[in-house]
Amino acid sequence: MILLSYFEPETSNWRDCPLAQLPTTIPADARLWINLNDASQDEQQQILQRFAITATLAEDFSRQRHPPKLESQSDFTLLIMRGYADADFSEYTGSAQVNLLYSNQVLISKISCNNPTLLQQLKPQIQTAKSSHIADWVKQFILTVSASYLEKLINFEDEQSELEDVMLHSGNDEKMTLIMRYRSVLRKINRNLAYQKDIFSDALYEEHSPLLRQFSTTEIRDFYEKFERLHSMTDMYYDQLSDLVEGYLSTTSHQINERMKVLTIVSTIFIPLTFIAGIYGMNFVYMPELQMPTAYFTVLIAMALGGVSGLIWFKIRGWW
């Protein structure tokens, strides 16, 4: 289903408009928003052909999943962005895919988002009896996408601090599993943010960037700084979680080494004693020591002295 909102300059009002009733040439002071969220593939193609969108842009716009991208033709600009739709970083069910095709008068949007609140925020703000600038709508999309990450990252700072305290005093495998899940999610959203940061970074240094048609250099720099800050935050949190993992593994390895040291000391002491017991446990007929009245007690005393001497030696050497 195609949803069209058309601003008529004659009446200065917005109205729902069937595609068949659209004027062949849209007046300069008219505005049009076409919502393709629930449109079929055939309906999408109908709209794209109606506005003569090139095949390359049409293909990228129609895809369900596409990395963030900025591209343009003579009249229309394609902007693809990804927002964060999950409640926190404990799971990653998929990004909010925001596909936009826009000109000075027309905005064509297709948004895939499983978060109703974020989906509502990603709707252009239509003011009754007032025309809107397409650039303002696009700016709203950009700021909403960046805000979808920022809120989660700010909340995650407190949770990570708690994780650091827990891992310091009572780290366990359950917490390690949670940390590894967080790292996986942060790595995925870091890629999305890197793409989007590069879009605005390139626009700052390209003289003919499509974004310069609607936005000033100051606005583009602001977009870039927002996504650069988000990208830096995910890098920082990922590195801090990696430090927690390495610290936990180092602590666990040290604990294992301590246990192995105790087992080694015990083994070192009992191996000679086992050797002696093994010798006198052999069933040879001629063993002179067996005829000695004090042989049993002599061997026990010798074994005890050997064990104690080993412990004293380890203590002197600082191995125990």
Side-chain angles (χ1 to χ4, degrees), residues 151-163:
E151 181 183 359
K152 312 300 189 308
L153 288 169
I154 291 175
N155 294 336
F156 183 68
E157 184 175 3
D158 294 335
E159 188 167 354
Q160 180 168 308
S161 297
E162 294 176 3
L163 265 178

Side-chain angles (χ1 to χ4, degrees), residues 266-286:
V266 172
S267 300
T268 303
I269 291 174
F270 278 93
I271 284 175
L273 306 184
T274 305
F275 175 72
I276 294 173
I279 290 177
Y280 289 103
M282 292 187 291
N283 295 321
F284 291 115
V285 175
Y286 182 71

